Amino acid sequence: MTSLVTGFLRGTAAGAAGTTALNVTTQADMALRARPASGMPTATVSALAEQADVAIPGARRERQHRLEGLGGLAGTATGVAVGGLAGALRSAGVRLPAVIGAPLLGAAAMVASDLPTARLGLTDPRRWGSADWAADVVPHLAYGVATHATLAATFRADERERAEHPEGAPRSATAGSLLRAAALGAANGARSTFGSAALAWRARPGDRGAVGLLGSRVGRGGATLAALAEASGDKHPAVPPRTAAPGLAPRLALAAGGAGAAARRDGREGGPGALVATAAAVGAAFGGQRLRAIAADRFGSDLPGAFAEDALAAGLAWWGAGRS
């Protein structure tokens, strides 16, 4: 089976192809309807910078140009990240037909782009007209078609080889293995690096693949340092919200990758666990942020909630990284 790292890299390439298709479709629409370029990417970056108390240097015109460039880069990063997540899932065994996979990828990219703007109060999709929806849906559908087609092409040789040599097929997932995948995914949704650190510390001599690499001296040290750094940096007020695309995409990718790696370590199919872990990561990312806001209202600071979340994420990661 293709490694998760290779799958993620193939996915980023597919996401770049999809982003190109999205941009071409958007620009063609602008040329045909003579509509102006959207100012939403620039407004989103500006609002996020203001929330994080990060000053964009330069005079008014220079600052505006920088914001426009950052808005374009953020859109590209979102498309590449969604593609990378799709590649990691495909390498874990999640293979959907084009009629389902392409629209699903387009919807994922659309949510990753539109959710931050809606949460920042910059737009309200409930008030969009049909022309507004078409201008958003059609380019993202083009993204989904191009990304899925590129992914399928890059994975085709590996999947043909597996079909021709089915010996040694992995065992099916069980309820217990899916519960551990959900725990590992929830840990990643709260702290993106805790799952990798737990897999590193629970690795055994002889483990291969991603778990074997994490269990090496270098891998274990790097994963531990990353987890400690995130636990510390997570409490800084300038850290962007985890539910924005730049924070959410790596959590989902690491959740799917970690669950898939754990399944392969145990000789099981990686796809079901990766899907369960991804869903759990989404729930933990949004739910954890909400619970910390409630703790902040009650205690006057979100630190009690943050430390409680650290402990919960560590416990879930340790149990989820166990063998099924």
Side-chain angles (χ1 to χ4, degrees):
M1 183 175 290
T2 306
S3 72
L4 290 173
V5 174
T6 301
F8 178 78
L9 292 176
R10 290 179 180 179
T12 59
T19 301
T20 300
L22 183 150
N23 290 337
V24 168
T25 307
T26 300
Q27 291 157 7
D29 178 46
M30 292 167 58
L32 290 172
R33 294 198 294 150
R35 69 172 181 84
S38 173
M40 198 57 64
T42 302
T44 302
V45 172
S46 179
L48 287 173
E50 184 177 345
Q51 279 196 357
D53 197 24
V54 175
I56 305 297
R60 181 176 180 181
R61 181 174 296 181
E62 293 173 338
R63 183 178 182 275
Q64 181 64 23
H65 291 166
R66 285 195 172 97
L67 286 171
E68 290 172 356
L70 289 170
L73 288 172
T76 300
T78 299
V80 170
V82 171
L85 174 60
L89 286 172
R90 195 173 186 100
S91 70
V94 181
R95 295 182 296 277
L96 299 175
V99 69
I100 297 175
L104 192 61
L105 278 171
M110 187 172 170
V111 169
S113 298
D114 295 341
L115 184 61
T117 60
R119 290 181 62 84
L120 289 168
L122 300 175
T123 186
D124 186 352
R126 293 173 297 182
R127 298 182 179 179
W128 290 1
S130 57
D132 299 320
W133 277 105
D136 201 26
V137 170
V138 174
H140 282 100
L141 182 59
Y143 168 90
V145 171
T147 302
H148 188 276
T150 306
L151 270 179
T154 57
F155 277 86
R156 191 166 291 129
D158 297 334
E159 292 165 358
R160 187 183 301 118
E161 183 179 354
R162 285 200 299 273
E164 294 173 353
H165 303 87
E167 62 274 6
R171 295 174 293 160
S172 299
T174 63
S177 67
L178 292 180
L179 280 174
R180 289 189 183 274
L184 201 59
N188 280 108
R191 300 287 182 272
S192 62
T193 55
F194 276 27
S196 299
L199 286 170
W201 282 99
R202 302 207 70 172
R204 296 175 183 171
D207 284 339
R208 298 181 178 180
V211 174
L213 290 174
L214 285 171
S216 67
R217 182 176 299 178
V218 174
R220 184 173 293 175
T224 303
L225 287 175
L228 292 174
E230 183 181 12
S232 175
D234 172 78
K235 297 158 185 65
H236 195 282
V239 174
R242 71 183 72 174
T243 52
L248 188 60
R251 293 172 191 273
L252 302 187
L254 288 168
R264 284 196 298 277
R265 176 200 64 190
D266 298 339
R268 298 190 183 279
E269 293 178 339
L275 284 175
V276 168
T278 303
V282 173
F286 283 89
Q289 184 164 285
R290 177 58 181 162
L291 289 174
R292 279 179 62 170
I294 294 173
D297 290 339
R298 181 168 183 177
F299 300 108
S301 169
D302 75 337
L303 286 179
F307 285 120
E309 192 178 33
D310 284 338
L312 179 60
L316 287 171
W318 187 260
W319 184 78
R323 296 171 190 266
S324 59

